[in-house]
């Protein structure tokens, strides 16, 4: 988030002073250059082709981490040619089998516009993701699956705590959606989820599962994978605390804010996702520099 500005009496806009942290400047954690930031395209059709392949790889990542739960789960990416539509996995095709040509494009009205032979649309995918894409122009990708530890954490009705630096990736950037109304089959429920999500990048859907969103596929996927592992850590720490009778040691506000500044940004999410894509792209017989899908090795 860009720093807000203060307007003094003379009417001149002055940026707020950059926060100073005892741990050092968060901007020095990674030096961002063109090699580790999202690529830019002049041709939206070339961008579409690129994003479809990244989405296909994303499903291989989800499968690798055990997020393929029968027919449940979906990842969407906004179409750069027609932004009021998105690409999603066809209903009933296993994550490990999804290729670029299998993906289907769905309009915000719920109509399947194009795709492979299987053009079945998961109603829940449409009801949730269409409303998020409509409500959040900054979100290009949304991911949801019924992962094991995510489901367990969502059954507690609680949010994660700031237990280690990795948790701080979600500091003040994750919500709990407390209402389970059954399968999300109505747009109105999708609207409620999108509204509760607000400007956050993740949600724990009570009695349901995890949801992450991002400016890029890489960020949404890496944050989902991380959040699943954090849920596992949270549940293990809770069990240890209950057994020992000792309270958990949580991170303070300043330390959490400093860690979030280094770890929680969209560009950090993209960078953190690249190693996942470096491994998964090999399932397509590919290997590219930094896993960005641009420069073959």
């Amino acid at each position: 988030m860009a720093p807000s500005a203060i307007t003094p009496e003379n009417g001149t806009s002055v940026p707020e002073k950059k926060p100073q942290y005892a741990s050092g400047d968060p901007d020095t954690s990674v030096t961002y250059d063109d090699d580790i930031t999202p690529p830019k395209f002049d041709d939206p059709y070339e961008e579409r082709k690129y994003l479809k392949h990244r989405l296909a790889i994303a499903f291989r990542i989800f499968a690798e981490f055990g997020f393929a739960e029968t027919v449940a789960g979906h990842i969407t990416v906004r179409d750069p040619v027609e932004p009021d539509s998105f690409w999603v996995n066809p209903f009933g095709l296993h994550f490990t089998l999804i290729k670029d040509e299998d993906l289907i494009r769905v309009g915000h009205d719920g109509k399947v516009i194009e795709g492979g032979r299987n053009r079945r649309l998961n109603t829940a995918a449409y009801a949730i993701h269409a409303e998020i894409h409509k409500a959040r122009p900054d979100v290009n990708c949304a991911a949801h699956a019924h992962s094991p530890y995510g489901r367990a954490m969502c059954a507690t009705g609680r949010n994660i705590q700031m237990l280690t630096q990795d948790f701080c990736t979600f500091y003040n950037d994750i919500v709990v959606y407390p209402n389970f109304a059954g399968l999300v089959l109505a747009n109105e429920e999708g609207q409620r989820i999108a509204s509760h999500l607000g400007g956050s990048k993740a949600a724990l859907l009570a009695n349901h599962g995890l949801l992450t969103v991002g400016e890029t596929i890489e960020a949404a996927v890496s944050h989902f994978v991380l959040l699943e592992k954090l849920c596992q850590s949270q549940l293990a720490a809770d069990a240890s605390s209950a057994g020992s009778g000792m309270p958990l040691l949580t991170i303070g506000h300043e330390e959490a804010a400093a860690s979030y500044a280094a770890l929680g940004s969209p560009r950090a999410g993209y960078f953190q996702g690249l190693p996942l894509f470096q491994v998964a792209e090999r399932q397509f017989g590919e290997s590219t520099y930094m896993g960005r899908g641009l420069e073959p090795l």
Side-chain angles (χ1 to χ4, degrees):
M1 180 179 295
S4 58
I6 301 173
T7 304
E9 293 181 2
N10 63 8
T12 304
S13 180
V14 180
E16 273 189 8
K17 186 178 180 181
K18 184 178 179 181
Q20 300 295 310
Y21 298 107
S23 60
D25 184 356
D27 288 345
T28 63
S29 62
V30 179
T31 300
Y32 290 96
D33 54 38
D34 289 344
D35 286 340
I36 57 171
T37 52
K40 293 180 172 57
F41 293 85
D42 294 325
D43 183 349
Y45 288 93
E46 283 298 313
E47 185 175 7
R48 171 190 278 179
K49 180 180 178 181
Y50 173 82
L51 290 177
K52 285 180 66 179
H53 190 52
R54 299 301 275 181
L55 185 57
I57 296 174
F59 285 109
R60 305 301 177 97
I61 294 171
F62 265 37
E64 184 69 23
F65 281 94
F67 303 157
E69 190 69 32
T70 63
V71 299
H74 17 87
I75 312 173
T76 56
V77 65
R78 190 188 302 275
D79 183 57
V81 179
E82 297 183 23
D84 59 349
S85 65
F86 56 84
W87 294 91
V88 66
N89 48 308
F91 200 22
L93 183 59
H94 197 275
F95 289 175
T96 58
L97 302 177
I98 295 174
K99 302 184 292 293
D100 306 20
E101 57 267 30
D102 296 314
L103 299 168
I104 59 175
R105 185 161 68 91
V106 182
H108 287 179
D109 59 1
K111 295 180 180 179
V112 176
I113 302 168
E114 60 180 307
R117 180 178 179 184
N118 176 4
R119 297 192 179 189
R120 294 175 180 86
L121 172 63
N122 184 330
T123 303
Y126 165 66
I128 297 172
H129 292 246
E131 298 306 327
I132 290 173
H133 282 295
K134 285 191 281 188
R136 292 279 300 275
D138 62 308
V139 167
N140 289 313
C141 181
H144 169 65
H146 298 175
S147 54
Y149 295 102
R151 284 184 297 192
M153 189 68 205
C154 289
T156 71
R158 297 184 292 110
N159 209 332
I160 57 173
Q161 296 173 276
M162 299 299 107
L163 300 180
T164 72
Q165 71 174 35
D166 298 310
F167 281 80
C168 298
T169 302
F170 297 94
Y171 183 59
N172 288 339
D173 207 8
I174 182 171
V175 300
V176 174
Y177 180 67
N179 178 52
F180 178 72
L183 272 69
V184 183
L185 303 176
N187 285 60
E188 292 77 12
E189 180 63 6
Q191 290 167 8
R192 286 188 283 270
I193 291 173
S195 176
H196 202 84
L197 178 66
S200 298
K201 66 167 169 268
L204 300 166
L205 307 180
N207 307 111
H208 191 171
L210 307 180
L211 171 70
T212 59
V213 301
E215 293 182 8
T216 61
I217 298 172
E218 293 80 2
V221 168
S222 68
H223 286 147
F224 192 101
V225 171
L226 175 59
L227 184 55
E228 168 70 3
K229 292 182 177 181
L230 297 182
C231 288
Q232 182 180 9
S233 297
Q234 178 77 61
L235 294 166
D238 287 343
S240 175
S241 178
S244 68
M246 298 291 290
L248 296 177
L249 180 64
T250 57
I251 296 172
H253 163 70
E254 181 176 334
E255 294 78 11
S259 300
Y260 177 83
L263 301 170
S265 69
R267 66 178 184 176
Y270 174 83
F271 179 50
Q272 292 160 14
L274 291 181
L276 300 176
F277 281 78
Q278 292 164 21
V279 175
E281 68 182 5
R282 301 199 173 201
Q283 293 190 34
F284 290 87
E286 302 163 1
S287 179
T288 63
Y289 178 63
M290 294 303 295
R292 295 174 75 228
L294 297 173
E295 182 183 339
L297 293 176

PDB file of all heavy atoms in Angstrom, residues 50 54 218 270 274 277-278 281 288-294:
ATOM      1  N   TYR A  50       0.102 -16.735 -22.088  1.00  0.00           N
ATOM      2  CA  TYR A  50       1.059 -16.903 -20.988  1.00  0.00           C
ATOM      3  C   TYR A  50       0.338 -17.237 -19.686  1.00  0.00           C
ATOM      4  O   TYR A  50       0.720 -18.168 -18.968  1.00  0.00           O
ATOM      5  CB  TYR A  50       1.866 -15.614 -20.833  1.00  0.00           C
ATOM      6  CG  TYR A  50       2.785 -15.592 -19.630  1.00  0.00           C
ATOM      7  CD1 TYR A  50       4.038 -16.210 -19.679  1.00  0.00           C
ATOM      8  CD2 TYR A  50       2.423 -14.952 -18.450  1.00  0.00           C
ATOM      9  CE1 TYR A  50       4.890 -16.193 -18.588  1.00  0.00           C
ATOM     10  CE2 TYR A  50       3.266 -14.925 -17.355  1.00  0.00           C
ATOM     11  CZ  TYR A  50       4.496 -15.545 -17.427  1.00  0.00           C
ATOM     12  OH  TYR A  50       5.336 -15.519 -16.332  1.00  0.00           O
ATOM     13  N   ARG A  54       0.457 -20.515 -17.088  1.00  0.00           N
ATOM     14  CA  ARG A  54       0.796 -20.360 -15.665  1.00  0.00           C
ATOM     15  C   ARG A  54      -0.299 -20.960 -14.790  1.00  0.00           C
ATOM     16  O   ARG A  54      -0.025 -21.572 -13.754  1.00  0.00           O
ATOM     17  CB  ARG A  54       0.990 -18.879 -15.317  1.00  0.00           C
ATOM     18  CG  ARG A  54       2.101 -18.180 -16.055  1.00  0.00           C
ATOM     19  CD  ARG A  54       3.446 -18.811 -15.839  1.00  0.00           C
ATOM     20  NE  ARG A  54       4.100 -18.340 -14.631  1.00  0.00           N
ATOM     21  CZ  ARG A  54       5.310 -18.748 -14.235  1.00  0.00           C
ATOM     22  NH1 ARG A  54       5.970 -19.649 -14.943  1.00  0.00           N
ATOM     23  NH2 ARG A  54       5.856 -18.280 -13.120  1.00  0.00           N
ATOM     24  N   GLU A 218       1.109 -16.313  -9.258  1.00  0.00           N
ATOM     25  CA  GLU A 218       2.188 -16.749  -8.378  1.00  0.00           C
ATOM     26  C   GLU A 218       1.939 -16.344  -6.933  1.00  0.00           C
ATOM     27  O   GLU A 218       2.164 -17.132  -6.002  1.00  0.00           O
ATOM     28  CB  GLU A 218       3.521 -16.181  -8.874  1.00  0.00           C
ATOM     29  CG  GLU A 218       3.992 -16.721 -10.207  1.00  0.00           C
ATOM     30  CD  GLU A 218       3.322 -16.061 -11.417  1.00  0.00           C
ATOM     31  OE1 GLU A 218       2.497 -15.134 -11.224  1.00  0.00           O
ATOM     32  OE2 GLU A 218       3.621 -16.459 -12.554  1.00  0.00           O
ATOM     33  N   TYR A 270       4.724 -12.720  -5.376  1.00  0.00           N
ATOM     34  CA  TYR A 270       5.122 -13.211  -6.699  1.00  0.00           C
ATOM     35  C   TYR A 270       6.486 -13.891  -6.612  1.00  0.00           C
ATOM     36  O   TYR A 270       6.665 -15.017  -7.104  1.00  0.00           O
ATOM     37  CB  TYR A 270       5.175 -12.048  -7.693  1.00  0.00           C
ATOM     38  CG  TYR A 270       5.720 -12.446  -9.052  1.00  0.00           C
ATOM     39  CD1 TYR A 270       4.900 -13.037 -10.008  1.00  0.00           C
ATOM     40  CD2 TYR A 270       7.060 -12.238  -9.374  1.00  0.00           C
ATOM     41  CE1 TYR A 270       5.402 -13.414 -11.246  1.00  0.00           C
ATOM     42  CE2 TYR A 270       7.570 -12.612 -10.611  1.00  0.00           C
ATOM     43  CZ  TYR A 270       6.743 -13.189 -11.541  1.00  0.00           C
ATOM     44  OH  TYR A 270       7.245 -13.567 -12.767  1.00  0.00           O
ATOM     45  N   LEU A 274       7.824 -18.137  -7.226  1.00  0.00           N
ATOM     46  CA  LEU A 274       8.648 -18.608  -8.346  1.00  0.00           C
ATOM     47  C   LEU A 274       9.283 -19.970  -8.112  1.00  0.00           C
ATOM     48  O   LEU A 274       9.291 -20.805  -9.038  1.00  0.00           O
ATOM     49  CB  LEU A 274       9.714 -17.559  -8.682  1.00  0.00           C
ATOM     50  CG  LEU A 274       9.191 -16.250  -9.292  1.00  0.00           C
ATOM     51  CD1 LEU A 274      10.350 -15.300  -9.609  1.00  0.00           C
ATOM     52  CD2 LEU A 274       8.382 -16.522 -10.558  1.00  0.00           C
ATOM     53  N   PHE A 277       6.949 -22.714  -9.079  1.00  0.00           N
ATOM     54  CA  PHE A 277       6.777 -22.851 -10.529  1.00  0.00           C
ATOM     55  C   PHE A 277       8.031 -23.448 -11.172  1.00  0.00           C
ATOM     56  O   PHE A 277       7.934 -24.143 -12.184  1.00  0.00           O
ATOM     57  CB  PHE A 277       6.431 -21.501 -11.148  1.00  0.00           C
ATOM     58  CG  PHE A 277       4.984 -21.129 -10.969  1.00  0.00           C
ATOM     59  CD1 PHE A 277       4.526 -20.640  -9.756  1.00  0.00           C
ATOM     60  CD2 PHE A 277       4.076 -21.293 -11.995  1.00  0.00           C
ATOM     61  CE1 PHE A 277       3.195 -20.311  -9.569  1.00  0.00           C
ATOM     62  CE2 PHE A 277       2.736 -20.976 -11.830  1.00  0.00           C
ATOM     63  CZ  PHE A 277       2.294 -20.486 -10.602  1.00  0.00           C
ATOM     64  N   GLN A 278       9.206 -23.192 -10.601  1.00  0.00           N
ATOM     65  CA  GLN A 278      10.438 -23.784 -11.117  1.00  0.00           C
ATOM     66  C   GLN A 278      10.361 -25.302 -11.100  1.00  0.00           C
ATOM     67  O   GLN A 278      10.827 -25.976 -12.030  1.00  0.00           O
ATOM     68  CB  GLN A 278      11.635 -23.310 -10.279  1.00  0.00           C
ATOM     69  CG  GLN A 278      11.973 -21.848 -10.424  1.00  0.00           C
ATOM     70  CD  GLN A 278      12.876 -21.341  -9.312  1.00  0.00           C
ATOM     71  OE1 GLN A 278      13.561 -22.118  -8.647  1.00  0.00           O
ATOM     72  NE2 GLN A 278      12.876 -20.031  -9.099  1.00  0.00           N
ATOM     73  N   GLU A 281       6.918 -26.621 -13.414  1.00  0.00           N
ATOM     74  CA  GLU A 281       6.968 -26.490 -14.866  1.00  0.00           C
ATOM     75  C   GLU A 281       7.655 -27.692 -15.511  1.00  0.00           C
ATOM     76  O   GLU A 281       7.440 -27.981 -16.689  1.00  0.00           O
ATOM     77  CB  GLU A 281       7.659 -25.181 -15.275  1.00  0.00           C
ATOM     78  CG  GLU A 281       9.133 -25.107 -14.961  1.00  0.00           C
ATOM     79  CD  GLU A 281       9.758 -23.758 -15.342  1.00  0.00           C
ATOM     80  OE1 GLU A 281       9.018 -22.856 -15.762  1.00  0.00           O
ATOM     81  OE2 GLU A 281      10.993 -23.619 -15.208  1.00  0.00           O
ATOM     82  N   THR A 288      12.652 -22.886 -17.046  1.00  0.00           N
ATOM     83  CA  THR A 288      12.898 -21.496 -17.436  1.00  0.00           C
ATOM     84  C   THR A 288      13.619 -20.748 -16.322  1.00  0.00           C
ATOM     85  O   THR A 288      13.535 -21.129 -15.143  1.00  0.00           O
ATOM     86  CB  THR A 288      11.584 -20.766 -17.761  1.00  0.00           C
ATOM     87  OG1 THR A 288      10.755 -20.718 -16.585  1.00  0.00           O
ATOM     88  CG2 THR A 288      10.828 -21.468 -18.876  1.00  0.00           C
ATOM     89  N   TYR A 289      14.306 -19.708 -16.705  1.00  0.00           N
ATOM     90  CA  TYR A 289      15.069 -18.922 -15.746  1.00  0.00           C
ATOM     91  C   TYR A 289      14.151 -18.353 -14.666  1.00  0.00           C
ATOM     92  O   TYR A 289      13.146 -17.691 -14.982  1.00  0.00           O
ATOM     93  CB  TYR A 289      15.801 -17.784 -16.465  1.00  0.00           C
ATOM     94  CG  TYR A 289      16.582 -16.880 -15.531  1.00  0.00           C
ATOM     95  CD1 TYR A 289      17.643 -17.383 -14.777  1.00  0.00           C
ATOM     96  CD2 TYR A 289      16.257 -15.540 -15.411  1.00  0.00           C
ATOM     97  CE1 TYR A 289      18.349 -16.576 -13.924  1.00  0.00           C
ATOM     98  CE2 TYR A 289      16.966 -14.710 -14.540  1.00  0.00           C
ATOM     99  CZ  TYR A 289      18.009 -15.243 -13.814  1.00  0.00           C
ATOM    100  OH  TYR A 289      18.713 -14.424 -12.937  1.00  0.00           O
ATOM    101  N   MET A 290      14.450 -18.641 -13.417  1.00  0.00           N
ATOM    102  CA  MET A 290      13.695 -18.223 -12.233  1.00  0.00           C
ATOM    103  C   MET A 290      12.269 -18.757 -12.219  1.00  0.00           C
ATOM    104  O   MET A 290      11.462 -18.346 -11.394  1.00  0.00           O
ATOM    105  CB  MET A 290      13.685 -16.690 -12.122  1.00  0.00           C
ATOM    106  CG  MET A 290      15.061 -16.067 -11.864  1.00  0.00           C
ATOM    107  SD  MET A 290      15.865 -16.707 -10.369  1.00  0.00           S
ATOM    108  CE  MET A 290      14.764 -16.127  -9.085  1.00  0.00           C
ATOM    109  N   GLY A 291      11.945 -19.657 -13.163  1.00  0.00           N
ATOM    110  CA  GLY A 291      10.598 -20.211 -13.180  1.00  0.00           C
ATOM    111  C   GLY A 291       9.540 -19.234 -13.643  1.00  0.00           C
ATOM    112  O   GLY A 291       8.345 -19.438 -13.387  1.00  0.00           O
ATOM    113  N   ARG A 292       9.941 -18.193 -14.381  1.00  0.00           N
ATOM    114  CA  ARG A 292       8.972 -17.182 -14.818  1.00  0.00           C
ATOM    115  C   ARG A 292       8.296 -17.557 -16.121  1.00  0.00           C
ATOM    116  O   ARG A 292       7.377 -16.859 -16.585  1.00  0.00           O
ATOM    117  CB  ARG A 292       9.667 -15.813 -14.976  1.00  0.00           C
ATOM    118  CG  ARG A 292      10.183 -15.254 -13.678  1.00  0.00           C
ATOM    119  CD  ARG A 292      10.979 -13.988 -13.894  1.00  0.00           C
ATOM    120  NE  ARG A 292      10.111 -12.859 -14.187  1.00  0.00           N
ATOM    121  CZ  ARG A 292      10.297 -11.998 -15.192  1.00  0.00           C
ATOM    122  NH1 ARG A 292      11.289 -12.183 -16.043  1.00  0.00           N
ATOM    123  NH2 ARG A 292       9.481 -10.967 -15.360  1.00  0.00           N
ATOM    124  N   GLY A 293       8.746 -18.640 -16.764  1.00  0.00           N
ATOM    125  CA  GLY A 293       8.101 -19.089 -17.989  1.00  0.00           C
ATOM    126  C   GLY A 293       8.440 -18.268 -19.212  1.00  0.00           C
ATOM    127  O   GLY A 293       7.697 -18.295 -20.194  1.00  0.00           O
ATOM    128  N   LEU A 294       9.552 -17.569 -19.175  1.00  0.00           N
ATOM    129  CA  LEU A 294       9.905 -16.663 -20.271  1.00  0.00           C
ATOM    130  C   LEU A 294      11.193 -17.055 -20.988  1.00  0.00           C
ATOM    131  O   LEU A 294      11.255 -17.036 -22.214  1.00  0.00           O
ATOM    132  CB  LEU A 294      10.034 -15.229 -19.753  1.00  0.00           C
ATOM    133  CG  LEU A 294       8.760 -14.599 -19.170  1.00  0.00           C
ATOM    134  CD1 LEU A 294       9.096 -13.261 -18.538  1.00  0.00           C
ATOM    135  CD2 LEU A 294       7.705 -14.428 -20.260  1.00  0.00           C
TER     136      LEU A 294
END
